[in-house]
Amino acid sequence: MFSTGIDVMGRPARDAAEAHSQEGLVYQVCRWCHTASFRTLLCPVCASSDLESAHSDGHGVVIRSNVVNRYSRIMRNESLVRFPEGFVYRCRIVGAAPHLVNVGDRVRPVGGRTSVSGEVVLEVCDPPGWY
């Protein structure tokens, strides 16, 4: 077979790839109980494997903040972040000193930055001292 560069929706394949590479997170929604989850193979509520992908803009709110320095000498922040779609996930927070990330801070995806270990990297929307 050969590729024409056109997907089934009629858009060029290059444009379709760019649409999927935009900032944000891809999460799953269970088709049975409509529970949102992130990076799971089964629904955490009903254990169904019938999950459908959805796109989030990636903005969330910190609900728990920890400063860690395990496995390295550099301190970093790992926080639990609640996303408006209904799921909570552990993320690495950058854009402020690790000890200055507080509960209630709004966070967003870091443009063009990914973690080597596969963790989700977010930055503080309003870093301390912005006013």
Side-chain angles (χ1 to χ4, degrees):
M1 299 289 301
F2 62 92
S3 174
T4 62
I6 306 291
D7 65 355
V8 289
M9 297 301 291
R11 297 180 307 178
R14 181 182 65 244
D15 294 342
E18 289 172 3
H20 293 298
S21 67
Q22 62 187 343
E23 286 184 14
L25 302 171
V26 176
Y27 65 99
Q28 295 85 26
V29 178
C30 178
R31 292 185 184 175
W32 291 96
C33 67
H34 304 288
T35 300
S37 59
F38 187 67
R39 290 187 178 173
T40 60
L41 296 174
L42 298 174
C43 173
V45 174
C46 68
S48 170
S49 63
D50 193 9
L51 301 174
E52 137 181 79
S53 295
H55 185 76
S56 167
D57 63 354
H59 288 73
V61 176
V62 175
I63 60 171
R64 184 175 178 192
S65 179
N66 290 323
V67 177
V68 295
N69 63 345
R70 64 179 174 263
Y71 309 123
S72 71
R73 294 184 178 160
I74 301 170
M75 291 182 6
R76 64 187 185 280
N77 184 285
E78 288 183 0
S79 297
L80 288 177
V81 176
R82 181 176 309 276
F83 294 92
E85 291 79 16
F87 60 93
V88 175
Y89 198 72
R90 183 178 55 88
C91 305
R92 183 172 163 209
I93 308 295
V94 297
H99 63 282
L100 295 178
V101 177
N102 299 314
V103 173
D105 286 349
R106 294 180 301 127
V107 292
R108 64 177 172 242
V110 177
R113 186 168 175 185
T114 59
S115 171
V116 175
S117 62
E119 60 190 356
V120 177
V121 180
L122 302 173
E123 67 180 347
V124 179
C125 289
D126 301 322
W130 64 274
Y131 45 89

